Amino acid sequence: MDVMWQPSGDTPVLLTNVYGEADGSAVATTRTAAILGDALVRHTQRGGVPGLVMGDFNATMDELPCAYAFHLAGWQDASTDVTMLPSHGGLSRRIDH
Protein backbone atom coordinates (compact mmCIF):
# COMPACT_ATOMS: atom_id res chain seq x y z
CA MET A 1 0.00 0.00 0.00
CA ASP A 2 1.36 3.41 -0.99
CA VAL A 3 0.48 6.70 0.68
CA MET A 4 1.80 10.14 -0.18
CA TRP A 5 2.29 12.02 3.09
CA GLN A 6 2.90 15.77 3.17
CA PRO A 7 3.02 17.05 6.74
CA SER A 8 2.16 20.73 7.15
CA GLY A 9 2.94 21.57 3.53
CA ASP A 10 6.50 20.25 3.79
CA THR A 11 8.17 18.02 1.22
CA PRO A 12 5.94 15.06 0.36
CA VAL A 13 7.12 11.57 1.31
CA LEU A 14 5.98 8.38 -0.43
CA LEU A 15 5.28 5.71 2.20
CA THR A 16 4.88 2.05 1.27
CA ASN A 17 3.82 -0.65 3.71
CA VAL A 18 4.49 -4.30 2.82
CA TYR A 19 3.41 -7.43 4.68
CA GLY A 20 5.37 -10.41 3.39
CA GLU A 21 4.20 -14.00 3.37
CA ALA A 22 4.99 -15.62 6.69
CA ASP A 23 5.44 -19.34 6.00
CA GLY A 24 9.23 -19.05 5.64
CA SER A 25 9.37 -20.93 2.34
CA ALA A 26 11.52 -19.97 -0.63
CA VAL A 27 8.33 -19.27 -2.59
CA ALA A 28 7.11 -16.86 0.11
CA THR A 29 10.45 -15.04 0.14
CA THR A 30 10.39 -14.75 -3.65
CA ARG A 31 6.85 -13.36 -3.61
CA THR A 32 7.76 -10.82 -0.93
CA ALA A 33 10.82 -9.81 -2.95
CA ALA A 34 8.61 -9.28 -6.01
CA ILE A 35 6.28 -7.00 -4.01
CA LEU A 36 9.27 -5.05 -2.72
CA GLY A 37 10.78 -4.84 -6.21
CA ASP A 38 7.52 -3.37 -7.50
CA ALA A 39 7.59 -0.85 -4.64
CA LEU A 40 11.13 0.14 -5.57
CA VAL A 41 10.04 0.77 -9.16
CA ARG A 42 7.15 2.97 -8.00
CA HIS A 43 9.47 4.96 -5.74
CA THR A 44 12.06 5.35 -8.48
CA GLN A 45 9.41 6.63 -10.90
CA ARG A 46 8.58 9.41 -8.43
CA GLY A 47 11.90 11.09 -9.15
CA GLY A 48 13.29 13.02 -6.21
CA VAL A 49 10.38 12.46 -3.82
CA PRO A 50 11.76 10.98 -0.57
CA GLY A 51 10.36 7.59 0.31
CA LEU A 52 10.09 4.92 2.95
CA VAL A 53 9.39 1.23 2.36
CA MET A 54 8.46 -0.46 5.62
CA GLY A 55 6.56 -3.35 7.05
CA ASP A 56 6.77 -6.95 8.13
CA PHE A 57 8.79 -8.56 5.35
CA ASN A 58 9.08 -11.87 7.27
CA ALA A 59 12.62 -12.15 5.93
CA THR A 60 15.93 -10.45 6.52
CA MET A 61 17.15 -8.18 3.73
CA ASP A 62 19.97 -10.65 3.05
CA GLU A 63 17.35 -13.34 2.32
CA LEU A 64 15.51 -11.20 -0.25
CA PRO A 65 16.68 -11.34 -3.90
CA CYS A 66 15.71 -7.65 -4.32
CA ALA A 67 18.15 -6.43 -1.64
CA TYR A 68 20.89 -5.69 -4.16
CA ALA A 69 18.51 -3.57 -6.27
CA PHE A 70 17.66 -1.49 -3.18
CA HIS A 71 21.37 -1.13 -2.46
CA LEU A 72 22.13 -0.01 -6.03
CA ALA A 73 19.30 2.52 -5.85
CA GLY A 74 20.91 4.06 -2.77
CA TRP A 75 18.38 2.84 -0.20
CA GLN A 76 19.50 2.19 3.36
CA ASP A 77 17.94 0.31 6.26
CA ALA A 78 16.86 2.83 8.90
CA SER A 79 17.73 0.50 11.78
CA THR A 80 19.70 -2.59 12.72
CA ASP A 81 17.60 -3.61 15.73
CA VAL A 82 16.48 -7.22 16.04
CA THR A 83 12.71 -7.56 15.57
CA MET A 84 12.18 -11.28 16.18
CA LEU A 85 13.21 -12.99 19.42
CA PRO A 86 11.86 -16.56 19.43
CA SER A 87 10.57 -17.68 22.82
CA HIS A 88 12.07 -21.14 22.29
CA GLY A 89 15.62 -19.76 22.13
CA GLY A 90 16.02 -19.85 18.34
CA LEU A 91 17.94 -17.41 16.17
CA SER A 92 17.16 -13.69 16.62
CA ARG A 93 16.50 -11.97 13.30
CA ARG A 94 15.54 -8.62 11.79
CA ILE A 95 12.46 -9.37 9.70
CA ASP A 96 10.45 -6.16 10.30
CA HIS A 97 11.74 -3.12 8.49
Side-chain angles (χ1 to χ4, degrees):
M1 168 192 234
D2 293 338
V3 174
M4 186 66 75
W5 179 52
Q6 190 168 6
S8 303
D10 290 336
T11 302
V13 179
L14 180 59
L15 305 173
T16 301
N17 185 44
V18 174
Y19 183 84
E21 293 190 36
D23 70 17
S25 70
V27 170
T29 301
T30 300
R31 287 180 182 159
T32 299
I35 294 167
L36 289 166
D38 290 344
L40 179 60
V41 168
R42 290 192 305 277
H43 279 259
T44 302
Q45 291 172 341
R46 291 285 186 171
V49 174
L52 177 66
V53 177
M54 61 192 154
D56 188 350
F57 300 173
N58 287 307
T60 67
M61 285 306 291
D62 291 341
E63 294 169 339
L64 295 165
C66 62
Y68 189 64
F70 275 88
H71 174 75
L72 286 178
W75 287 71
Q76 296 179 346
D77 200 337
S79 179
T80 58
D81 294 342
V82 170
T83 61
M84 186 185 86
L85 297 168
S87 60
H88 55 76
L91 180 65
S92 300
R93 302 169 59 213
R94 178 166 172 67
I95 60 171
D96 305 300
H97 302 270

